[in-house]
Amino acid sequence: MRTLVTIFAVLLLGSALQGCGGATVSALADAGYDVRVEGTAPADGKSGVAQNTYITIMFSDAMDFAGMHPSDFQVTAHGAPVAGSISYSRLTATFHPSSPLEANTRYTARMSKDVRCLDGATMEKDYVWTFTTGETIDMTPPVLMDTAFGVQQLPDRYTGVVVAFFNEPMDPDSIDTQDFQLHGPGGVEVPGSIKYIGFSALFYPTGSLAPNTLYTASIGSGPTDVAGNALLRGKTWTFITPDISVLTGKHTSVTTTFPADKAADILLGTEISVTFGQTMDPTTIDAGTFRVLAPGGVPVPGSVSYTGVTAVFTPTNPLMPDTTYDVEVSQDVKSLDGIPMDADYRFAFTTGEDLAGTPPVVLYTLPAFGDQDVAPNTSILAIFDEPMDPLSLTTASFTVTAATGEPVSGVVTYTGTTAVFTPDTQLLPGVTYTGRIGTAATDLNGEPLASSYVWTFTTGSGNAASTPQILFTDPAVNDSMVSPYKKISIAFNEVMDPRTLDAGTIQVTDENGTPVPGTFTYMAFAVVFTPANRLDMGETYTVTVSGDVKDLEGIRMGSDYSWTFSTAELM
């Protein structure tokens, strides 16, 4: 049983509402052709198919099958329709032949283009695929291979998803809440719903789950594969929901600092910032609990401010050149739930000889300049080349306006080096919007942007299907002076399929291209790579995430993501 625990506050963007199908081609979207087929069983072109198979088609989103006619989903051989019945679930339609299929015969399956998703969109044309039978009857029962639990963040509650992984395609109609159940303390049944994706069945609780609590999940022997074979054996398993999670506030921790630990050549006018993994109680963060110490333990005079999840120490005077400073964050700082840190948090950095004076730069935005067919339910991101002053990033310095000049209302949040503008309501479809970050936005040294950063993008006609993306990494891109003992963390924007997060899709290599051995820990929205040995000092490492990593709905990231970082020379 895998316990998948989110440790990053990666959901500050909010969950994007999936549209029906998520076509990304403008002509299709404009015409209302948004329905996408995710896969079929048997697959198109497959040969040697068992004669007792069912024929299943899987869609990307919830479908409206109420108005379908049996003739909308047909299977034919020798030009004649095959007798059978059709059953439907939220995402799938399954054709059950009345008798076994003929041996060594080519079959054609056709789903009418008139099939509709819940918002009424259809396909551009009929979906047709073929397969050929063999001479065998599939009598092999399916096997429940693995299970997992992932924490989910919803606006009003702590909950999660229980996942069961099978070794072959299953009949979605055979998996329901009678077969897949969840029970809490005292054997009380947890109500929920079932979603079937690929080889996985997902149980979504209707209400809240309790943290740090033992739950029992079970799957009976009722589920069958697409040939009608019942599960070899049912399974009952237990798991404990995590209480050390940024989602519940049960754990208080520092996630990043600026400067980074053991960083060198820091500008003399630098402000020191600490970003926490959860919203903190501002009354516990002051010059007594967040201290910067000169050599000899002498406190540096200054003031402390706090906003979002970041505390900033502003020295009264510029720091001394070529000096090592220690920073202490007391364990007495607390989250809004009143939970203190487990211990004091300490890090150190060394100044150089230069004063501040370099303006910050917007590296890139999402959506990017000129992007078309942007999902109306998107949030707008701006990524800077250095940590910014969180207090300077507001709806006054970060604005979004429609083509008519009407401002979009929303909120701005900031973490790491990323500012996010989240509209209060969805953007309008087919509208060109202008994003603007003004010179009121400043870095931690009070240095403003050299000039306003302005870009435009245009929305499409519907919300796109959610494609997994990397939100941030630790170490960050081109990070230097990284501890040789560092673990590499990658945070995504949604729950990922753990079977696609391993050494085959994520690789860390040294300057010679030699892979670094290590282990992977999956935590729902994130994965952490722990090197088997300490990294070499003064070495540049490359991390590559394959575009083949997938979310739990089987959607690929699409393109590789690669970045480098350099380790420090520890004394």
Side-chain angles (χ1 to χ4, degrees):
M1 168 66 191
R2 306 186 191 120
T3 299
L4 316 178
V5 185
T6 312
I7 62 170
F8 295 103
V10 300
L11 291 181
L12 63 97
L13 306 182
S15 298
L17 298 175
Q18 291 191 14
C20 198
T24 56
V25 180
S26 178
L28 294 181
D30 291 344
Y33 302 132
D34 283 342
V35 178
R36 186 179 71 243
V37 173
E38 289 289 308
T40 62
D44 187 23
K46 186 174 180 60
S47 60
V49 173
Q51 293 174 247
N52 60 332
T53 192
Y54 302 155
I55 297 90
T56 298
I57 184 168
M58 293 166 280
F59 296 93
S60 59
D61 247 292
M63 305 300 293
D64 181 7
F65 292 119
M68 280 194 64
H69 189 274
S71 62
D72 289 334
F73 186 8
Q74 283 196 339
V75 179
T76 59
H78 312 298
V82 175
S85 61
I86 303 171
S87 60
Y88 309 103
S89 67
R90 181 175 178 271
L91 299 171
T92 62
T94 302
F95 182 91
H96 302 256
S98 300
S99 58
L101 303 177
E102 296 181 41
N104 302 316
T105 300
R106 179 184 173 90
Y107 284 84
T108 299
R110 179 186 301 272
M111 174 59 76
S112 168
K113 66 180 180 179
D114 295 327
V115 63
R116 296 178 181 274
C117 70
L118 291 179
D119 67 3
T122 63
M123 294 192 292
E124 182 187 19
K125 58 184 178 181
D126 292 353
Y127 191 91
V128 181
W129 75 101
T130 63
F131 60 91
T132 304
T133 55
E135 298 180 349
T136 61
I137 298 293
D138 182 2
M139 303 295 291
T140 304
V143 176
L144 179 57
M145 299 292 291
D146 202 357
T147 61
F149 171 74
V151 172
Q152 285 189 304
Q153 182 180 21
L154 297 180
D156 58 347
R157 64 186 187 273
Y158 170 95
T159 185
V161 55
V162 185
V163 188
F165 300 97
F166 299 92
N167 67 326
E168 60 173 306
M170 302 293 288
D171 178 5
D173 302 320
S174 70
I175 305 175
D176 55 29
T177 52
Q178 297 300 311
D179 295 295
F180 194 169
Q181 294 187 343
L182 182 65
H183 292 83
V188 177
E189 183 174 353
V190 177
S193 60
I194 306 295
K195 184 176 182 180
Y196 182 78
I197 303 171
F199 290 9
S200 305
L202 288 73
F203 181 97
Y204 288 93
T206 303
S208 301
L209 296 180
N212 195 27
T213 301
L214 180 69
Y215 284 86
T216 300
S218 61
I219 290 186
S221 57
T224 63
D225 62 16
V226 293
N229 298 303
L231 196 64
L232 179 63
R233 64 179 64 88
K235 181 176 181 179
T236 298
W237 69 98
T238 61
F239 59 91
I240 297 176
T241 53
D243 64 344
I244 302 178
S245 168
V246 298
L247 301 180
T248 62
K250 296 297 182 182
H251 181 64
T252 301
S253 61
V254 172
T255 57
T256 58
T257 66
F258 183 82
D261 188 26
K262 296 184 174 61
D265 292 324
I266 300 303
L267 297 175
L268 304 183
T270 292
E271 294 180 326
I272 297 91
S273 68
V274 174
T275 299
F276 297 90
Q278 53 285 307
T279 303
M280 304 295 290
D281 179 355
T283 63
T284 67
I285 302 175
D286 54 30
T289 56
F290 183 2
R291 301 196 305 162
V292 178
L293 305 175
V298 178
V300 174
S303 60
V304 175
S305 59
Y306 176 81
T307 183
V309 292
T310 301
V312 178
F313 181 96
T314 304
T316 303
N317 305 303
L319 302 175
M320 298 295 293
D322 300 319
T323 302
T324 297
Y325 289 87
D326 294 306
V327 184
E328 292 183 357
V329 180
S330 169
Q331 67 179 24
D332 293 332
V333 300
K334 297 178 181 180
S335 68
L336 279 181
D337 288 343
I339 307 298
M341 294 199 301
D342 294 335
D344 293 347
Y345 188 92
R346 296 181 173 88
F347 63 100
F349 63 91
T350 303
T351 56
E353 297 181 350
D354 296 328
L355 288 167
T358 303
V361 174
V362 176
L363 290 179
Y364 62 94
T365 62
L366 186 69
F369 181 82
D371 268 0
Q372 302 290 317
D373 295 321
V374 174
N377 60 340
T378 192
S379 293
I380 298 91
L381 285 72
I383 294 85
F384 300 88
D385 68 334
E386 60 175 302
M388 302 292 287
D389 180 357
L391 296 175
S392 73
L393 287 162
T394 66
T395 50
S397 60
F398 188 170
T399 62
V400 178
T401 55
T404 58
E406 181 179 357
V408 175
S409 63
V411 295
V412 175
T413 54
Y414 176 81
T415 186
T417 58
T418 301
V420 182
F421 183 101
T422 303
D424 290 334
T425 59
Q426 276 196 180
L427 302 177
L428 297 173
V431 173
T432 297
Y433 288 88
T434 299
R436 178 186 298 271
I437 298 179
T439 55
T442 64
D443 62 17
L444 289 178
N445 298 308
E447 192 71 31
L449 271 67
S451 59
S452 296
Y453 187 91
V454 181
W455 76 104
T456 60
F457 60 90
T458 303
T459 53
S461 61
N463 297 332
S466 179
T467 300
Q469 298 176 0
I470 292 176
L471 288 184
F472 63 86
T473 64
D474 182 23
V477 177
N478 296 327
D479 222 349
S480 60
M481 302 300 294
V482 174
S483 169
Y485 300 96
K486 185 73 174 179
K487 297 179 181 180
I488 294 98
S489 302
I490 305 164
F492 297 86
N493 67 330
E494 58 184 299
V495 178
M496 302 298 289
D497 184 342
R499 297 171 298 179
T500 69
L501 299 172
D502 54 27
T505 56
I506 302 175
Q507 196 169 66
V508 181
T509 56
D510 61 18
E511 292 176 349
N512 298 318
T514 304
V516 175
T519 57
F520 292 87
T521 304
Y522 171 65
M523 291 167 288
F525 295 92
V527 62
V528 177
F529 174 79
T530 303
N533 305 298
R534 188 195 72 181
L535 299 176
D536 291 336
M537 293 184 288
E539 179 98 0
T540 297
Y541 288 86
T542 300
V543 184
T544 301
V545 181
S546 168
D548 290 328
V549 299
K550 299 178 181 178
D551 62 18
L552 273 183
E553 299 201 6
I555 299 176
R556 298 172 62 251
M557 188 167 70
S559 57
D560 292 354
Y561 185 95
S562 183
W563 81 97
T564 62
F565 65 89
S566 301
T567 53
E569 292 277 6
L570 298 183
M571 302 301 292

